[in-house]
Amino acid sequence: MTNDKININNEKREFLGGNSCCAYKILGSASCGGSTEFRVWAPNADRCFVFSGGEKFEMQRDGGFFYIKTSADFSRGYRYIIEKNGAVFEKNDPFAFSVNEERLSEVASIDGIKPDILRKNCGVMRIFEVHPGEEFDSLSKTLPPYIKRLGFTHVELMPVFSHPCRESWGYQATGYFSFEYGSPQSFAALVRAFHKEEIGVIIDLPLGHFANDFYGLGRFDGTPLFESADETVSQNRLWGTVNTDFGKPAARSLMLSSACFLADVFGIDGIRVDAAANMIFNRFDGYVSFGGEGDINISAIEFLRVLTHEMRKRNVITIAEDSSAVISSTAPAVLGGLGFDRKQNLGWYHDTSVYFSAPPDVRGTLNSYILKPFSYMNGENYLLPVSHDENSHGKGTLASRLKDEKNQKLLLFYMYASKGDKLLFDGCERGAEAEWNPGAEGRGETPGISGFISQLNRLCDELVPLSGECGEPEFSDGVLTFLRFGTDEDDFVIAAVNASDTDFEDFRIGVDRFADFRMVFSTDESLEGLIYKPAAFSAGGHMFSVSVKLPALSGVLLKPDFIWKNRI
């Protein structure tokens, strides 16, 4: 709750209609003039109390809301005690702005916080994904300059809202307005610190399910208030959580307000919606709905369309983690899509890592894995992720799966040369062999391949074609080649990925421009800057060709240095 002067009755109507973007302004708690106000939505409760320090204070019913204003001391934290049909439920305040070490809600204020607006625009987003793992105040000093040195444009913070176990990823939330790693003021300071370094801030939001802990949202007023009454739908058997029922207006308002809270109060630059497929299907087991394709959740789809619309109004980027393909994530809602700006390409890393983790001498049997992404790259606005999901759960890390540093560099070169924004999980840059575990971030302790990643990030700023369209791939002798196009027909680069164990002194690449080509980047630094002359005979169906040196397990980018116009 805030002390803003707003029409409470109007905002109540918005909340009850499922359309509220700022329910946190009228629900929760707030101190004002020596007293503290509380308002909670519990329409099916018989009685409701605020409990703190061994005392409880009965609240007055106001329709489906309960309200109290009291001068009692709540410095030790509070919970709501809700009575229903003789049963008693102890619940945290879902709209509280703070939670203490005992996991009790705290009376806190966001008054005076001003949104810090950056709204960074760039050709290719390069996102550094981080599990916060420590207090915001500490992160503010170390993380922004670290990410700046690596050359990333954005940081994606894994869930920052309150969750029961700090040693977890944070996807089982118990609060949607209170932070796990500090106060609202310290989170605002963290956003400012990133923005000072010109780094956009993206927050990972688990809106589709919540923690099953007794003090969380589940059966909040003694009834399934924010979840379905059908336990085959509400109980998430995969994660042990409770699925949000977006058919209920209060649930929609709560989750929509949570996203808008981050944008309107703090000025964040983007949100990633976790496990969108779990929202799109009523019954989901991690891969497909076990209720079948007819089990699509229309209410959740409509919610996602409203969410992306509201974020677009605020110039906030939206990213879908959606493993389904029944509806386009990035097509506009008017064309039947969900309206997200980006969709994480969850299959890309699987296919790519299968290929690059195989020994070079057997990769020839796995060509389909590296060619497959080209067949659907234009189906959505994709983000290519090497995310936390691909560095955990027994899958190993980028370094442990690919082992050889040349191999790691080659996969990342292929990723950066390919069409799509990029995401890299914390630890990949330093060659972390062990999967993530709490308190073991160790940023900067070993350089790993961080210098190489900085080079790749710099290339995205320097080479316009790396933010443009992609040509058809060609594959020969274990070498993949493809073009990236810039703003005109003479502005392009050729990417060549030699994933074989063969050194080529003169690998011939077909081109449609009779031009000198400069090697503007190579994973083998000794080759950078070399000029290659064109040949006036065809190769691979192209009118002209150029022969380049291509060592084993290397990748190169070639850019026209001089185009002979009379030979075009």
Side-chain angles (χ1 to χ4, degrees):
M1 190 185 298
T2 67
N3 290 313
D4 295 354
K5 293 182 179 179
I6 59 174
N7 188 311
I8 291 177
N9 288 329
N10 284 348
E11 191 52 45
K12 283 181 181 178
R13 281 192 291 271
E14 289 290 300
F15 177 80
L16 296 176
N19 304 311
S20 177
C21 295
C22 57
Y24 57 88
K25 291 186 176 183
I26 65 163
L27 292 166
S29 59
S31 294
C32 182
S35 298
T36 306
E37 296 180 68
F38 299 86
R39 182 177 288 110
V40 63
W41 168 248
N44 302 301
D46 296 329
R47 301 171 75 192
C48 188
F49 303 83
V50 181
F51 176 79
S52 177
E55 294 186 84
K56 63 180 186 178
F57 307 89
E58 185 164 8
M59 305 176 75
Q60 301 301 310
R61 180 180 287 278
D62 176 17
F65 299 89
F66 284 85
Y67 174 83
I68 189 174
K69 184 174 183 178
T70 173
S71 59
D73 178 20
F74 294 94
S75 60
R76 295 170 62 181
Y78 70 93
R79 278 188 177 145
Y80 294 120
I81 300 294
I82 294 171
E83 296 180 358
K84 173 67 176 176
N85 295 336
V88 177
F89 302 86
E90 187 177 335
K91 296 292 180 180
N92 270 19
D93 189 338
F95 289 90
F97 296 136
S98 182
V99 173
N100 65 21
E101 292 181 357
E102 286 74 40
R103 298 287 166 189
L104 300 175
S105 299
E106 284 188 314
V107 179
S109 174
I110 59 170
D111 296 342
I113 297 176
K114 302 296 182 186
D116 192 74
I117 306 298
L118 175 65
R119 302 294 190 261
K120 187 177 181 69
N121 293 314
C122 55
V124 180
M125 284 195 300
R126 289 97 66 191
I127 304 169
F128 191 71
E129 183 189 33
V130 178
H131 178 270
E134 57 185 286
E135 299 301 308
F136 293 142
D137 289 340
S138 175
L139 288 176
S140 295
K141 298 175 181 138
T142 59
L143 195 53
Y146 180 74
I147 295 176
K148 180 72 170 182
R149 286 196 302 272
L150 290 172
F152 287 93
T153 61
H154 292 76
V155 63
E156 180 177 299
L157 296 174
M158 293 172 68
V160 295
F161 286 138
S162 300
H163 47 270
C165 179
R166 183 168 286 196
E167 290 73 28
S168 70
W169 287 128
Y171 289 101
Q172 301 188 13
T174 51
Y176 286 88
F177 302 89
S178 57
F179 296 98
E180 180 64 26
Y181 303 99
S183 66
Q185 288 72 21
S186 62
F187 179 71
L190 178 62
V191 173
R192 287 195 300 273
F194 279 118
H195 285 179
K196 184 178 179 182
E197 298 287 1
E198 295 290 308
I199 296 168
V201 178
I202 299 168
I203 300 298
D204 199 341
L205 280 179
L207 302 176
H209 61 114
F210 47 84
N212 206 13
D213 294 64
F214 74 91
Y215 59 89
L217 290 177
R219 299 191 67 82
F220 187 81
D221 64 354
T223 70
L225 187 61
F226 297 104
E227 71 270 33
S228 172
D230 180 351
E231 291 195 357
T232 68
V233 173
S234 66
Q235 297 304 304
N236 191 306
R237 65 179 188 175
L238 184 63
W239 300 311
T241 53
V242 183
N243 291 323
T244 309
D245 184 353
F246 291 99
K248 295 187 173 180
R252 294 199 303 273
S253 286
L254 187 153
M255 298 304 178
L256 183 61
S257 292
S258 179
C260 293
F261 171 70
L262 292 169
D264 295 342
V265 177
F266 303 98
I268 67 157
D269 305 273
I271 61 170
R272 170 195 182 266
V273 175
D274 173 65
N278 180 63
M279 302 165 69
I280 292 169
F281 290 108
N282 281 316
R283 300 168 180 86
F284 187 71
D285 67 0
Y287 298 97
V288 296
S289 165
F290 62 86
E293 287 195 6
D295 205 24
I296 291 175
N297 188 336
I298 300 300
S299 297
I301 288 172
E302 289 306 315
F303 168 79
L304 290 171
R305 287 171 173 160
V306 171
L307 173 67
T308 56
H309 174 71
E310 290 296 335
M311 292 298 102
R312 185 165 290 107
K313 283 165 53 177
R314 294 162 169 79
N315 293 316
V316 171
I317 298 160
T318 52
I319 301 170
E321 189 222 13
D322 180 9
S323 58
S324 72
V326 297
I327 184 170
S328 171
S329 295
T330 57
V334 293
L335 298 180
L338 297 177
F340 283 90
D341 295 301
R342 299 292 185 272
K343 176 178 180 175
Q344 281 192 218
N345 192 338
L346 300 178
W348 174 86
Y349 183 73
H350 171 268
D351 293 339
T352 301
S353 62
V354 166
Y355 183 81
F356 283 100
S357 61
D361 60 348
V362 301
R363 288 175 183 169
T365 65
L366 301 170
N367 292 346
S368 62
Y369 283 94
I370 197 170
L371 291 172
K372 184 180 179 181
F374 289 90
S375 68
Y376 60 81
M377 68 167 56
N378 295 316
E380 300 267 14
N381 296 326
Y382 279 119
L383 167 70
L384 307 182
V386 183
S387 70
H388 71 277
D389 277 326
E390 308 303 340
N391 287 268
S392 60
H393 310 307
K395 298 176 186 175
T397 65
L398 180 70
S400 66
R401 290 188 74 176
L402 302 187
K403 298 178 175 65
D404 185 80
E405 190 174 285
K406 273 189 176 182
N407 224 11
Q408 296 172 50
K409 288 183 175 180
L410 188 58
L411 183 149
L412 291 171
F413 169 80
Y414 166 62
M415 172 187 183
Y416 272 74
S418 297
K419 180 182 177 181
D421 297 311
K422 328 299 178 190
L423 180 143
L424 204 62
F425 180 55
D426 182 18
C428 293
E429 82 287 1
R430 58 182 183 275
E433 292 277 349
E435 292 188 357
W436 176 87
N437 63 82
E441 280 80 6
R443 297 182 195 101
E445 291 179 2
T446 56
I449 55 173
S450 58
F452 177 74
I453 290 170
S454 296
Q455 289 179 293
L456 292 175
N457 281 325
R458 187 180 69 249
L459 275 178
C460 290
D461 291 327
E462 295 174 352
L463 297 176
V464 172
L466 291 182
S467 61
E469 293 302 314
C470 185
E472 290 296 318
E474 298 179 21
F475 205 88
S476 174
D477 297 326
V479 177
L480 173 72
T481 58
F482 55 93
L483 270 64
R484 298 296 308 279
F485 300 102
T487 54
D488 60 63
E489 62 183 9
D490 293 335
D491 185 19
F492 64 92
V493 294
I494 303 169
V497 180
N498 181 9
S500 76
D501 53 4
T502 303
D503 291 314
F504 295 97
E505 289 297 323
D506 292 289
F507 185 85
R508 190 165 296 280
I509 301 171
V511 294
D512 294 321
R513 285 285 185 273
F514 193 80
D516 296 345
F517 284 89
R518 179 184 297 274
M519 192 169 286
V520 293
F521 183 80
S522 173
T523 56
D524 183 336
E525 294 181 6
S526 66
L527 302 179
E528 287 184 23
L530 295 179
I531 301 291
Y532 294 95
K533 296 293 183 180
F537 54 87
S538 64
H542 299 273
M543 187 178 300
F544 310 112
S545 60
V546 60
S547 292
V548 301
K549 184 175 182 179
L550 201 56
L553 299 178
S554 70
V556 302
L557 288 176
L558 300 164
K559 193 175 190 304
D561 193 63
F562 179 79
I563 297 178
W564 299 82
K565 296 292 184 181
N566 62 328
R567 298 300 300 272
I568 295 176

